[in-house]
């Protein structure tokens, strides 16, 4: 829908419960009607979030789907390839990370996504695919970390030969094997680059595999965006995609368990980080954080929960949408990436009264306004 200063802003389809190809197409068609307010022939960008099952269905009907999108002026330039199974399983929690990058299933799934991206994107466009950060930390014993990194790196490198005009972007997330920007930089320099150069001496791995910069995830880890982006620029790392959403922030208050109960019952993991003075600690889900630090006051909590980006408050809580503004300021100054994907998938858990399509439209408008106004 929106193209500002060469940015391609899209909405991630993981907000919808897409269990089949048919349902996915139906939801995207509904969304494109809602977003095209003034010009019916204006192109809108969608970030596809599809399971392995739907990726196989799409491959079988790729010509039909391509024609449908072309007719409706829908542009697919990016795919969210984080989740192998259905994103909206009843109690997905840590199952969201399986299979991890040690598995051939993950490799074959991502190869499918590369082929789909090639077919659906405009030939002139640069494509992006986001993927999970290697594995889930709580599955792995420390002694096995070296093997996990090695095996995963080999699987990732096998895909580079297919990545023409597409960047495969690793998305750090709290409690995964790669949680932070510094861990990503260390991984690409220590593992991916040396392994890749053994057989590709004249090529640079950073042209094929980059970073998916998820503002919510980095905000939960209290990362300093200006510092991160400076380091990324110095390391010549490509940001394939900027994912835009907000986390919940609670400041200088004792946690009220009743008010946060909706997240305890959520089907998703809500990794929670608290900061007290210079101490930062992350728990793998909100219920463990509450159990351990419920009595403490004067903490700052940040909870992984993809809140609509126009909210600076949700119920009695704050959000981290001010972090979005900080990142956009740096992106605009230094032109790190063109792909911006709004990713607000916990909508139903929040029990927001707005119509889902009206809320998406509001997010688009808010982001457009912020991009125009950032310095």
């Amino acid at each position: 829908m929106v193209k500002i200063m060469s940015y391609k802003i899209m909405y991630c389809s993981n907000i919808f419960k897409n269990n089949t190809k048919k349902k996915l197409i139906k939801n995207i068609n509904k969304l494109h009607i809602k977003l095209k307010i003034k010009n019916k022939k204006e192109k809108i960008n969608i970030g596809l979030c599809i399971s392995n099952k739907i990726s196989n269905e799409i491959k079988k009907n790729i010509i039909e789907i391509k024609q449908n999108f072309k007719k409706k002026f829908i542009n697919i330039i990016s795919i969210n390839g984080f989740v192998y199974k259905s994103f909206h399983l009843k109690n997905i929690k840590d199952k969201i990370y399986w299979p991890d990058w040690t598995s051939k299933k993950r490799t074959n799934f991502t190869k499918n996504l590369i082929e789909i991206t090639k077919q659906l994107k405009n030939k002139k466009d640069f494509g992006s695919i986001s993927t999970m950060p290697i594995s889930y930390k709580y599955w792995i014993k420390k002694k096995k970390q070296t093997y996990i990194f090695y095996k995963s790196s080999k699987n990732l490198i096998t895909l580079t030969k297919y990545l023409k005009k597409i960047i495969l972007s690793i998305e750090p997330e709290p409690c995964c094997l790669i949680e932070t920007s510094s861990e990503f930089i260390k991984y690409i320099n220590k593992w991916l680059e040396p392994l890749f150069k053994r057989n590709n001496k004249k090529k640079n791995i950073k042209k094929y595999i980059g970073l998916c910069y998820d503002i919510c995830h980095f905000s939960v880890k209290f990362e300093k965006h200006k510092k991160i982006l400076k380091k990324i620029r110095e390391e010549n790392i490509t940001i394939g995609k900027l994912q835009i959403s907000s986390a919940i922030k609670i400041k200088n208050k004792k946690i009220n368990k009743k008010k946060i109960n909706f997240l305890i019952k959520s089907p998703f993991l809500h990794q929670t980080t608290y900061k007290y003075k210079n101490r930062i600690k992350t728990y793998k889900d909100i219920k463990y954080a509450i159990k351990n630090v419920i009595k403490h006051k004067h903490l700052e909590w940040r909870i992984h929960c993809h809140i609509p980006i126009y909210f600076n408050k949700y119920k009695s809580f704050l959000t981290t949408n001010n972090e979005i503004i900080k990142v956009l300021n740096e992106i605009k100054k230094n032109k790190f990436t063109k792909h911006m994907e709004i990713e607000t998938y916990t909508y139903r858990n929040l029990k927001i009264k707005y119509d889902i399509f009206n809320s998406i439209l509001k997010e688009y408008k808010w982001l457009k306004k912020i991009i125009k106004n950032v310095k």
Side-chain angles (χ1 to χ4, degrees):
M1 176 193 177
V2 185
K3 187 179 178 181
I4 309 165
M5 293 182 67
S6 78
Y7 299 132
K8 297 199 172 183
I9 299 173
M10 65 200 88
Y11 207 99
C12 184
S13 68
N14 64 5
I15 194 169
F16 303 116
K17 288 187 176 182
N18 298 316
N19 300 320
T20 63
K21 177 207 71 174
K22 188 177 179 181
K23 201 167 183 182
L24 173 74
I25 303 301
K26 185 180 177 182
N27 281 325
I28 290 174
N29 286 340
K30 273 186 185 179
L31 180 59
H32 107 277
I33 291 166
K34 190 70 182 179
L35 296 179
K36 289 184 179 184
I37 304 169
K38 295 178 181 178
N39 183 0
K40 289 183 179 179
K41 291 187 177 181
E42 182 183 9
K43 279 192 175 182
I44 65 159
N45 302 314
I46 298 291
L48 278 188
C49 182
I50 51 179
S51 65
N52 182 60
K53 175 178 173 287
I54 294 177
S55 76
N56 288 319
E57 289 177 14
I58 287 174
K59 276 188 75 177
K60 289 176 186 175
N61 299 277
I62 196 75
I63 295 171
E64 175 197 337
I65 291 165
K66 191 173 181 178
Q67 287 173 344
N68 172 75
F69 287 154
K70 188 176 180 181
K71 187 179 177 182
K72 300 285 178 66
F73 300 96
I74 294 167
N75 198 20
I76 306 293
I77 53 169
S78 185
I79 294 183
N80 185 327
F82 200 107
V83 188
Y84 183 87
K85 293 186 176 181
S86 172
F87 197 79
H88 293 278
L89 291 175
K90 191 174 181 181
N91 194 37
I92 192 163
K93 298 289 184 184
D94 61 358
K95 291 191 285 290
I96 207 165
Y97 307 115
W98 185 258
D100 66 9
W101 267 106
T102 60
S103 170
K104 283 291 180 186
K105 286 184 178 180
R106 171 67 61 176
T107 312
N108 292 333
F109 167 52
T110 308
K111 188 179 175 183
N112 266 0
L113 301 183
I114 293 167
E115 291 304 313
I116 290 167
T117 306
K118 281 180 181 176
Q119 291 292 324
L120 294 183
K121 77 177 182 68
N122 188 302
K123 287 182 180 179
K124 293 179 182 179
D125 286 333
F126 200 87
S128 62
I129 298 167
S130 51
T131 189
M132 62 158 298
I134 309 304
S135 190
Y136 185 51
K137 194 161 68 174
Y138 290 91
W139 292 339
I140 302 164
K141 293 178 181 177
K142 282 189 178 180
K143 289 181 181 178
K144 290 191 174 181
Q145 277 194 14
T146 299
Y147 168 77
I148 301 294
F149 277 128
Y150 176 74
K151 179 74 172 174
S152 300
S153 300
K154 285 196 77 174
N155 285 338
L156 278 159
I157 286 166
T158 61
L159 296 173
T160 55
K161 59 187 173 183
Y162 306 107
L163 290 167
K164 189 178 179 181
K165 289 194 77 175
I166 298 170
I167 187 87
L168 180 60
S169 303
I170 293 171
E171 181 183 337
E173 179 167 304
C175 300
C176 289
L177 204 52
I178 299 176
E179 295 186 85
T180 62
S181 59
S182 59
E183 287 177 353
F184 171 77
I185 292 167
K186 185 179 178 181
Y187 171 66
I188 201 167
N189 288 335
K190 183 180 176 180
W191 288 100
L192 283 179
E193 198 164 45
L195 279 172
F196 184 73
K197 280 190 174 178
R198 285 181 191 177
N199 298 311
N200 303 276
K201 291 180 182 179
K202 293 182 180 179
K203 293 183 180 179
N204 184 356
I205 189 70
K206 293 171 185 176
K207 290 183 178 179
Y208 304 94
I209 297 176
L211 174 66
C212 175
Y213 196 109
D214 189 302
I215 301 173
C216 173
H217 295 174
F218 285 155
S219 298
V220 169
K221 294 297 290 184
F222 287 91
E223 295 236 42
K224 305 292 183 186
H225 300 292
K226 190 172 182 177
K227 187 178 177 182
I228 297 172
L229 290 164
K230 185 184 177 202
K231 184 67 176 173
I232 285 166
R233 187 171 63 249
E234 289 169 353
E235 293 283 342
N236 200 28
I237 287 167
T238 303
I239 296 178
K241 178 162 63 176
L242 180 70
Q243 284 186 328
I244 303 171
S245 66
S246 298
I248 286 175
K249 179 167 70 175
I250 306 170
K251 206 168 183 180
N252 297 326
K253 285 184 180 180
K254 185 178 174 182
I255 295 292
N256 185 321
K257 192 175 178 180
K258 286 183 180 178
K259 288 185 178 180
I260 209 77
N261 203 43
F262 71 100
L263 287 179
I264 296 172
K265 294 178 179 179
S266 167
F268 299 104
L269 282 177
H270 294 284
Q271 298 93 321
T272 302
T273 300
Y274 79 79
K275 184 178 183 181
Y276 179 65
K277 294 182 178 179
N278 292 322
R279 189 185 177 198
I280 293 174
K281 183 173 174 63
T282 303
Y283 290 91
K284 63 182 177 180
D285 205 357
I286 180 67
K287 64 180 180 181
Y288 300 106
I290 288 174
K291 184 179 177 181
N292 284 279
V293 289
I294 191 75
K295 294 176 183 178
H296 294 282
K297 295 180 182 178
H298 308 298
L299 303 174
E300 182 172 346
W301 292 54
R302 293 196 180 176
I303 305 167
H304 178 216
C305 181
H306 293 242
I307 300 283
I309 60 177
Y310 55 84
F311 282 2
N312 54 23
K313 288 184 179 180
Y314 171 67
K315 295 188 174 180
S316 61
F317 312 123
L318 300 171
T319 77
T320 60
N321 78 338
N322 63 313
E323 302 293 316
I324 295 171
I325 299 166
K326 290 178 189 176
V327 174
L328 290 175
N329 188 35
E330 295 302 313
I331 295 288
K332 195 169 181 178
K333 280 193 293 186
N334 296 289
K335 299 178 181 176
F336 284 99
T337 187
K338 290 184 178 181
H339 289 190
M340 297 185 177
E341 182 179 61
I342 304 170
E343 195 200 15
T344 308
Y345 64 80
T346 48
Y347 189 95
R348 288 174 184 82
N349 304 97
L350 304 175
K351 296 181 179 178
I352 298 167
K353 293 179 181 178
Y354 303 127
D355 171 77
I356 193 167
F357 292 101
N358 284 334
S359 184
I360 291 169
L361 182 59
K362 200 169 178 179
E363 287 190 271
Y364 263 107
K365 287 179 176 179
W366 184 88
L367 184 57
K368 182 179 177 180
K369 186 178 176 181
I370 293 298
I371 290 172
K372 282 185 175 180
N373 292 336
V374 289
K375 297 176 183 178

